Amino acid sequence: MNNTITDTNFNFPGQKSVYKGKVREVYNINDEELVMIATDRLSAFDVVMPKGIPFKGQILNQIATKMMKATEDLVPNWLTATPDPNVAVGHLCEPFKVEMVIRGYMSGHAAREYKAGKRTLCGVEMPEGMKENDKFPEPIITPATKAEMGDHDEDISREDILKRGIVSEADYLVLEDYTRKLFQRGTEIAASRGLILVDTKYEFGKTKDGKIVLIDEIHTPDSSRYFYADGYQDRQDSGETQKQLSKEFVRQWLISNGFQGLEGQQVPEMSDEYINSVSERYIELYENITGETFIKADVSNIQKRIEHNVQLYLKA
């Protein structure tokens, strides 16, 4: 698919280094700014799929930047500019080596663990008698260690984070507070769109002057799970699966085709037809989450477009 961007090799003025994550590529400019490019790569079960998804990077970047602006009164963030539909620019930060995962409902990974008989997740108790997609009495924070590309993120308890010195106790209290505030605001935004924010993850970093800020993505379909609020309770009562807005539909497709990211498993072949259907789902997610019509950027030469827009920004 030549109308996607799955890898970049730019050389911007003042460029010091490049970090390539599962989906985003981050360019360090003069040890002051970061230029973050959201590619069209698709990651599931911590494995990057062989083909890109048209417009996925633009969708993730634009949702994340909108949500940062909608929460900046609560929690400071790293963002300073968006010079291109796929690009966010912000302060250089030292990322914390944990992802702050917060769950309002027992879904996805939590439900899989619960089904396997576990009643504790990351040191947090899960009540007896719950069924998949039930609401927790209170949202629970279940952190994960941040893996390098190709490795799996791992569940970790608050106690282990502090014991291993991954985050200081003072900083961790701030991360917890920010996580709860962001999830509450995200829940309110979702409700205004007829959605339920089921679970999500946040990443934080420290600026050069020691300020803790939100970084990376927020409330996107890659980092979050949404249900349609309409009919949620009826579906729970009758044991039906929930209608959801997240990339869980990709995970389920992979599972049904014998892939869960386990050793020795092959990624199933994704036809162009399937790739385009995933792209359409992402556009639907964008429009539902933001309440706005998605406007496709020019993808005739994405590399050139991004390079031109970032160079213009850096010169200015």
Side-chain angles (χ1 to χ4, degrees):
M1 313 284 280
N2 57 5
N3 59 341
T4 60
I5 184 164
T6 53
D7 190 35
T8 70
N9 287 292
F10 297 123
N11 195 357
F12 297 123
Q15 183 173 313
K16 297 279 186 187
S17 61
V18 187
Y19 167 77
K20 301 203 173 194
K22 292 183 193 110
V23 172
R24 288 169 178 74
E25 311 206 331
V26 186
Y27 290 78
N28 173 341
I29 310 297
N30 291 319
D31 289 329
E32 292 291 336
E33 281 186 306
L34 295 178
V35 172
M36 186 187 280
I37 298 166
T39 71
D40 295 323
R41 294 197 293 265
L42 175 65
S43 159
F45 298 114
D46 294 320
V47 175
V48 175
M49 301 295 117
K51 291 179 181 175
I53 306 299
F55 303 106
K56 179 177 174 284
Q58 179 190 346
I59 287 163
L60 294 191
N61 189 57
Q62 290 187 333
I63 292 175
T65 53
K66 283 175 195 296
M67 291 292 180
M68 291 231 173
K69 289 188 171 77
T71 55
E72 64 189 0
D73 60 317
L74 284 180
V75 173
N77 63 59
W78 77 294
L79 188 69
T80 54
T82 49
D84 180 272
N86 285 61
V87 179
V89 180
H91 302 291
L92 176 78
C93 296
E94 179 64 38
F96 287 100
K97 290 187 165 55
V98 290
E99 292 182 342
M100 297 299 284
V101 181
I102 182 164
R103 305 173 185 279
Y105 294 72
M106 195 187 69
S107 300
H109 174 60
R112 288 190 279 273
E113 294 288 283
Y114 199 90
K115 254 182 207 162
K118 295 181 186 170
R119 293 296 176 267
T120 306
L121 187 60
C122 303
V124 182
E125 293 290 322
M126 296 187 287
E128 283 293 345
M130 292 187 76
K131 61 179 196 284
E132 188 169 358
N133 302 329
D134 275 353
K135 188 176 185 178
F136 285 117
E138 290 290 322
I140 64 171
I141 293 177
T142 59
T145 55
K146 264 204 73 57
E148 294 300 317
M149 193 153 167
D151 291 333
H152 289 275
D153 296 342
E154 285 180 15
D155 292 342
I156 188 168
S157 68
R158 175 190 182 160
E159 290 69 31
D160 278 350
I161 289 169
L162 300 181
K163 195 161 72 184
R164 286 160 57 180
I166 298 170
V167 181
S168 74
E169 187 163 14
D171 285 349
Y172 194 78
L173 289 172
V174 176
L175 299 190
E176 281 194 327
D177 177 52
Y178 282 175
T179 296
R180 293 195 187 281
K181 282 177 175 162
L182 290 168
F183 191 68
Q184 180 57 36
R185 177 65 59 83
T187 298
E188 289 160 10
I189 293 169
S192 74
R193 312 257 191 263
L195 301 173
I196 293 169
L197 179 58
V198 177
D199 53 37
T200 191
K201 70 179 174 73
Y202 303 113
E203 295 187 39
F204 298 94
K206 259 191 187 176
T207 61
K208 281 184 160 180
D209 56 8
K211 186 176 171 186
I212 295 176
V213 296
L214 174 68
I215 61 172
D216 203 37
E217 63 185 333
I218 163 177
H219 300 158
T220 73
D222 269 25
S223 68
S224 316
R225 193 187 317 269
Y226 292 90
F227 291 156
Y228 288 95
D230 186 35
Y232 161 79
Q233 199 53 55
D234 291 342
R235 284 188 285 276
Q236 279 304 93
D237 293 343
S238 63
E240 287 176 63
T241 55
Q242 288 297 333
K243 283 177 68 183
Q244 58 174 296
L245 283 166
S246 72
K247 68 172 181 183
E248 183 65 20
F249 71 94
V250 176
R251 291 191 200 98
Q252 292 303 331
W253 181 85
L254 289 167
I255 290 169
S256 69
N257 282 276
F259 183 81
Q260 288 190 65
L262 304 174
E263 214 173 309
Q265 292 183 339
Q266 288 291 110
V267 177
E269 175 64 28
M270 291 184 171
S271 67
D272 287 353
E273 189 183 9
Y274 180 71
I275 294 280
N276 285 326
S277 76
V278 175
S279 180
E280 283 160 18
R281 279 294 287 277
Y282 267 92
I283 291 169
E284 180 195 342
L285 297 174
Y286 175 94
E287 294 183 340
N288 277 280
I289 292 165
T290 65
E292 296 171 13
T293 302
F294 180 68
I295 296 160
K296 294 178 177 179
D298 177 9
V299 291
S300 53
N301 192 330
I302 308 177
Q303 297 265 0
K304 197 171 170 184
R305 187 199 79 207
I306 289 174
E307 187 167 30
H308 172 75
N309 286 338
V310 173
Q311 298 269 21
L312 273 184
Y313 168 80
L314 292 173
K315 276 182 190 144

